[in-house]
Amino acid sequence: MITSIEKEIVSLLQQGDKKAISLLYENYADALYGVVRKVISDEETAQDVLQESFVKIWRYAKKYDASKAKLFTWLYRIAYNTAIDKVRSLKNKSGKEVQIESSVVYTFTADSINQDVLDIKKHLKTLDEKYQIVINALFFEGMTQQEASDELDIPLGTIKSRLKIGLRELKKIYNP
């Protein structure tokens, strides 16, 4: 059963009214913090994740559809997914610290760079446009596959297939 406060929050969210975020925080912050703490044990990081969650909630407020999920369920998913993303991000960062003493950054010479690869944009233009668009989005615009799918309005599976085929075609150029 939807409460009157939920209806008010949903209405304010749909209108983009900033009062909605205050009401959300007052009514759901403690519960969402509990969700985040089940995933993240560090209190400071959990508070940061809760803050990130509220930013995402505000950013995606107009996408909320009451017919698909209750407000708390929607909020829960955002907070939980944000916490999981943070855990993954922290795991990735901890394993990739820069080792300056073993760095090879300064040992590259012009001879060690494959000159053929520097003209990749020229070779990219030889591919079908559908492959060019996907490779451009992923490699030169820095999008994830999901972001490219959303931005280009192409199904994720098609993005993956076009990437694979496009890279295979480029490989034929660089590795005949």
Side-chain angles (χ1 to χ4, degrees):
M1 176 154 176
I2 297 177
T3 64
S4 61
I5 191 74
E6 263 185 80
K7 285 180 185 175
E8 182 181 356
I9 291 171
V10 170
S11 172
L12 292 171
L13 280 173
Q14 298 297 322
Q15 297 168 23
D17 191 324
K18 292 181 180 176
K19 261 195 319 191
I21 209 74
S22 298
L23 288 171
L24 278 170
Y25 198 85
E26 287 171 24
N27 291 283
Y28 296 101
D30 291 340
L32 295 177
Y33 183 69
V35 168
V36 171
R37 280 304 297 259
K38 285 184 179 182
V39 178
I40 297 175
S41 57
D42 178 60
E43 190 173 332
E44 191 174 317
T45 305
Q47 289 173 355
D48 288 345
V49 168
L50 181 64
Q51 184 69 31
E52 282 178 48
S53 298
F54 275 99
V55 170
K56 286 181 180 180
I57 289 165
W58 180 249
R59 189 179 314 139
Y60 300 122
K62 291 192 188 314
K63 291 184 178 184
Y64 171 68
D65 184 354
S67 68
K68 291 183 179 177
K70 290 184 177 182
L71 180 61
F72 181 74
T73 305
W74 183 72
L75 298 171
Y76 174 94
R77 284 186 195 141
I78 291 173
Y80 181 78
N81 289 337
T82 304
I84 294 294
D85 290 346
K86 178 59 89 177
V87 168
R88 288 179 182 152
S89 163
L90 292 173
K91 280 183 182 175
N92 282 340
K93 283 182 185 174
S94 68
K96 295 180 182 173
E97 291 187 27
V98 176
Q99 301 297 322
I100 300 216
E101 50 290 336
S102 65
S103 175
V104 292
V105 171
Y106 301 107
T107 61
F108 280 118
T109 62
D111 297 333
S112 65
I113 297 173
N114 183 349
Q115 299 295 319
D116 297 335
V117 183
L118 294 178
D119 59 356
I120 193 157
K121 285 201 174 198
K122 179 181 88 178
H123 289 301
L124 187 60
K125 289 180 182 172
T126 65
L127 301 181
D128 284 349
E129 187 178 7
K130 60 185 177 185
Y131 305 125
Q132 285 181 42
I133 291 169
V134 170
I135 291 173
N136 250 331
L138 297 174
F139 291 100
F140 298 111
E141 294 177 30
M143 292 184 195
T144 64
Q145 290 178 348
Q146 185 61 56
E147 289 168 341
S149 172
D150 295 341
E151 184 72 26
L152 300 171
D153 198 28
I154 298 172
L156 183 59
T158 305
I159 291 286
K160 291 178 181 195
S161 297
R162 288 181 182 175
L163 172 63
K164 185 177 179 182
I165 294 167
L167 291 176
R168 187 179 335 134
E169 293 303 309
L170 282 175
K171 186 176 181 184
K172 288 177 187 175
I173 294 168
Y174 288 109
N175 228 356

